[in-house]
Amino acid sequence: MASSTDTEPLLRKIESLARFTLSTAERSALADIPMRVQALRADQDIVRLGDRPSRCCVLLEGFACVYKMTADGKRQITAFHIPGDIPDLQSLHLRTLDNSVGTLTACRVGFVDHEVLQVLCHTHPRIAGVLWRETLIDASIFREWMLNIGRRGAYSRLAHVLCELVTRLDAVGLVDDQTCELPMTQIELGDATGLTPVHVNRMLQEMRGAGLITLKNGSLTVHDSAGLKQIGEFDPIYLHLERPA
Amino acid sequence: MASSTDTEPLLRKIESLARFTLSTAERSALADIPMRVQALRADQDIVRLGDRPSRCCVLLEGFACVYKMTADGKRQITAFHIPGDIPDLQSLHLRTLDNSVGTLTACRVGFVDHEVLQVLCHTHPRIAGVLWRETLIDASIFREWMLNIGRRGAYSRLAHVLCELVTRLDAVGLVDDQTCELPMTQIELGDATGLTPVHVNRMLQEMRGAGLITLKNGSLTVHDSAGLKQIGEFDPIYLHLERPA
DNA sequence: CGGCGATTTGATAATGGTCAAGTGCCGTGG
DNA sequence: CCACGGCACTTGACCATTATCAAATCGCCG
């Protein structure tokens, strides 16, 4: 089962989302959540479209994504997920999954039964509100991605996704000196932006040439953060990171 | 203020979303919700990006949309809304609006204070669950639209949006004999699909030529539902209309 | 009847896709 | 230790879908 270090990413996530200070009772309820922890390799599905899961998964370590496919096999990644996220929290209230969730890198994932979460929500209504809020922020990111994919050019689109990832990673302490781990392949970046890998490559080259970023070996460094944000029209309001850093 | 006929669309919506039968108490709590009703003309904003609203709006009559804009003024519609919908329910848990909501046609809208909804959620937790579910279905539709915009060709994309609208309108009883009101302009359909109005027009012509639809004077008739669904790769699973019709 | 917005159509342009070939990197196995 | 294989990345040439520009036409409302 889970040790208290396993539930820590979840606890931190809830804390950062809550617009109030957690009570001792809430805190210990979260720390004691029964969680089945599992290690997964890269490129594995955690849950699949059509599943009717009886549990949610908390991403403890690694990168994952939510995706859907067209009839002819083209993939759209609808979200990237980083440690602390709950990629399928929706399944708590929607019986049938309408998307798949897969790992991008090796991951550690904690599974929590819906029943446990239902009880948690019932006995700690404020936590229910926070979880609801989490799903609303995901939805807000979806809307921004729609704008990104539907109405921005390829260069701007990629810049926006990079800005978002850096900002979100920074919020969980995974950015150090403008540098962070960014292990997704150009194919995956293409699937997230609605571009082909070839064109992603060209846009990245252009960003490198412009001195905006370095992206090599799964590591991203942003040299000109203001420039990148301007190109990506990035305004973090939609991430709803309302707490002062 | 609101008469009981005003709260009826909301009540019906909650009923159709709930996976249980509403109790008398729940039913009357919903019917008695204090609601400030307002009539709006077409193409007016109901709320705007950056607002910090203290209430939500229930669409009672008419069509509305959620949208965002790029820096250079291109618009992406992220959702269409039909009577019964609550386009800005997210604002209940997210302080600052990250999108705008505008009318597409003349509308009647009911405003409900956040405080009223908070109390409702607290005293009737099952209704809270239903409202949460509503926001999750919206998010599910966003994901499908991302796939649509990012990975489907223009023809397929438009067909998908039409299928979705007909299906949702049917679910609230607004389709009669394969025909429904569909008042959005080709510009608006373009803003929803990430296409230009010119190209929307061409695709519609092609659909007409193929004998799939008639779309004239804001009225849509689907002549070949199976064909349209196939072209749009439409599988309604993501709408989570789990009740038997 | 006049005017304006929505729709329609045609011609041309451009963004991004497809195809193809080659490079570099890393892990595995001889 | 080195050769091999595979995958991600890179680059170039060419192509196609969709955008842009422009000009009618239609239909409704005043």
Side-chain angles (χ1 to χ4, degrees):
Chain A
M1 271 297 181
S3 75
S4 72
T5 56
D6 288 327
T7 56
E8 205 186 299
L10 179 61
L11 183 56
R12 274 215 302 271
K13 175 78 172 192
I14 303 285
E15 258 181 330
S16 78
L17 283 168
R19 290 180 308 200
F20 52 84
T21 307
L22 292 181
S23 70
T24 313
E26 287 164 339
R27 188 177 294 273
S28 72
L30 284 165
D32 296 343
I33 272 195
M35 194 184 265
R36 182 177 302 274
V37 177
Q38 197 173 329
L40 295 169
R41 275 169 302 126
D43 298 313
Q44 287 195 287
D45 281 344
I46 302 176
V47 290
R48 250 184 281 261
L49 181 140
D51 286 356
R52 293 168 160 259
S54 59
R55 55 187 194 176
C56 290
C57 69
V58 183
L59 188 53
L60 303 175
E61 284 173 33
F63 288 76
C65 72
V66 177
Y67 69 90
K68 305 188 74 157
M69 316 257 311
T70 61
D72 58 338
K74 279 181 281 196
R75 181 168 79 153
Q76 177 67 45
I77 289 178
T78 61
F80 287 127
H81 284 290
I82 64 177
D85 290 350
I86 312 172
D88 62 350
L89 185 48
Q90 42 158 159
S91 67
L92 192 58
H93 288 285
L94 298 177
R95 280 268 172 276
T96 307
L97 267 178
D98 54 79
N99 57 242
S100 301
V101 179
T103 60
L104 295 171
T105 64
C107 287
R108 282 194 358 117
V109 175
F111 291 100
V112 183
D113 284 340
H114 284 168
E115 210 181 309
V116 170
L117 288 171
Q118 300 284 12
V119 170
L120 181 73
C121 286
H122 187 257
T123 55
H124 301 285
R126 297 205 305 179
I127 291 180
V130 172
L131 290 175
W132 189 351
R133 187 174 147 80
E134 155 87 341
T135 63
L136 292 171
I137 293 173
D138 282 347
S140 171
I141 297 175
F142 294 155
R143 286 188 292 270
E144 184 67 26
W145 279 38
M146 252 190 274
L147 177 66
N148 204 39
I149 297 167
R151 290 303 193 199
R152 291 197 185 106
Y155 194 52
S156 184
R157 223 185 279 187
L158 246 189
H160 192 281
V161 167
L162 295 181
C163 286
E164 178 186 307
L165 281 166
V166 170
T167 304
R168 288 172 55 200
L169 287 168
D170 191 34
V172 293
L174 289 174
V175 178
D176 186 39
D177 194 26
Q178 298 295 329
T179 300
C180 60
E181 208 189 331
L182 209 115
M184 41 283 275
T185 65
Q186 294 179 4
I187 294 176
E188 287 153 355
L189 288 173
D191 286 344
T193 50
L195 299 168
T196 55
V198 174
H199 207 62
V200 168
N201 185 281
R202 289 192 237 270
M203 296 299 103
L204 288 176
Q205 296 297 355
E206 202 167 322
M207 286 181 195
R208 289 190 259 248
L212 292 165
I213 60 165
T214 301
L215 175 55
K216 204 166 57 175
N217 303 326
S219 174
L220 173 73
T221 303
V222 179
H223 303 299
D224 179 0
S225 178
L228 194 65
K229 283 177 186 169
Q230 201 198 331
I231 288 162
E233 301 184 352
F234 183 73
D235 177 348
I237 187 180
Y238 73 97
L239 295 175
H240 297 276
L241 304 166
E242 290 171 13
R243 333 216 92 211
Chain B
M1 269 296 178
S3 76
S4 72
T5 55
D6 288 328
T7 56
E8 205 186 297
L10 179 60
L11 183 54
R12 273 215 302 272
K13 175 79 173 191
I14 303 286
E15 258 180 330
S16 78
L17 282 168
R19 290 180 309 202
F20 52 85
T21 308
L22 291 181
S23 71
T24 313
E26 286 164 339
R27 187 176 292 274
S28 73
L30 284 165
D32 295 344
I33 271 194
M35 195 184 263
R36 181 178 303 273
V37 177
Q38 198 173 328
L40 295 170
R41 275 171 301 125
D43 299 311
Q44 287 197 288
D45 281 344
I46 303 176
V47 290
R48 248 184 284 261
L49 180 140
D51 286 355
R52 293 166 160 260
S54 59
R55 56 187 193 176
C56 290
C57 68
V58 183
L59 188 53
L60 302 176
E61 285 172 33
F63 288 76
C65 72
V66 178
Y67 68 90
K68 306 188 73 156
M69 315 258 312
T70 61
D72 58 339
K74 280 180 279 195
R75 180 167 81 154
Q76 178 68 46
I77 290 179
T78 62
F80 287 127
H81 284 291
I82 66 178
D85 290 349
I86 311 171
D88 62 349
L89 184 48
Q90 44 158 157
S91 68
L92 192 58
H93 289 285
L94 298 177
R95 279 271 172 275
T96 308
L97 266 179
D98 55 78
N99 56 244
S100 301
V101 179
T103 60
L104 295 172
T105 65
C107 287
R108 284 190 0 113
V109 175
F111 292 100
V112 183
D113 284 340
H114 284 169
E115 211 180 308
V116 171
L117 288 171
Q118 301 283 13
V119 171
L120 181 72
C121 286
H122 187 258
T123 55
H124 301 284
R126 297 203 306 179
I127 291 180
V130 173
L131 290 175
W132 188 350
R133 188 174 147 82
E134 154 87 342
T135 63
L136 292 171
I137 292 174
D138 282 346
S140 171
I141 297 174
F142 295 156
R143 285 187 292 269
E144 184 66 27
W145 280 38
M146 254 191 272
L147 176 65
N148 204 36
I149 297 167
R151 290 303 191 197
R152 291 197 186 108
Y155 193 52
S156 183
R157 223 186 277 187
L158 247 189
H160 191 282
V161 167
L162 295 181
C163 287
E164 178 186 307
L165 282 166
V166 171
T167 303
R168 288 171 56 199
L169 287 168
D170 192 33
V172 293
L174 289 174
V175 177
D176 186 39
D177 194 26
Q178 298 294 332
T179 299
C180 61
E181 207 188 334
L182 210 116
M184 40 282 276
T185 65
Q186 294 179 6
I187 295 175
E188 287 154 354
L189 288 173
D191 286 345
T193 49
L195 299 168
T196 55
V198 174
H199 206 62
V200 168
N201 185 280
R202 288 192 235 271
M203 297 298 104
L204 288 177
Q205 295 298 353
E206 203 167 320
M207 286 180 196
R208 290 191 258 247
L212 292 164
I213 61 165
T214 301
L215 176 54
K216 205 166 59 173
N217 303 326
S219 174
L220 172 72
T221 303
V222 179
H223 303 300
D224 179 1
S225 178
L228 195 66
K229 283 177 186 170
Q230 202 198 330
I231 288 162
E233 301 184 351
F234 183 73
D235 177 348
I237 187 181
Y238 72 96
L239 295 174
H240 297 277
L241 304 167
E242 289 170 17
R243 332 217 95 212

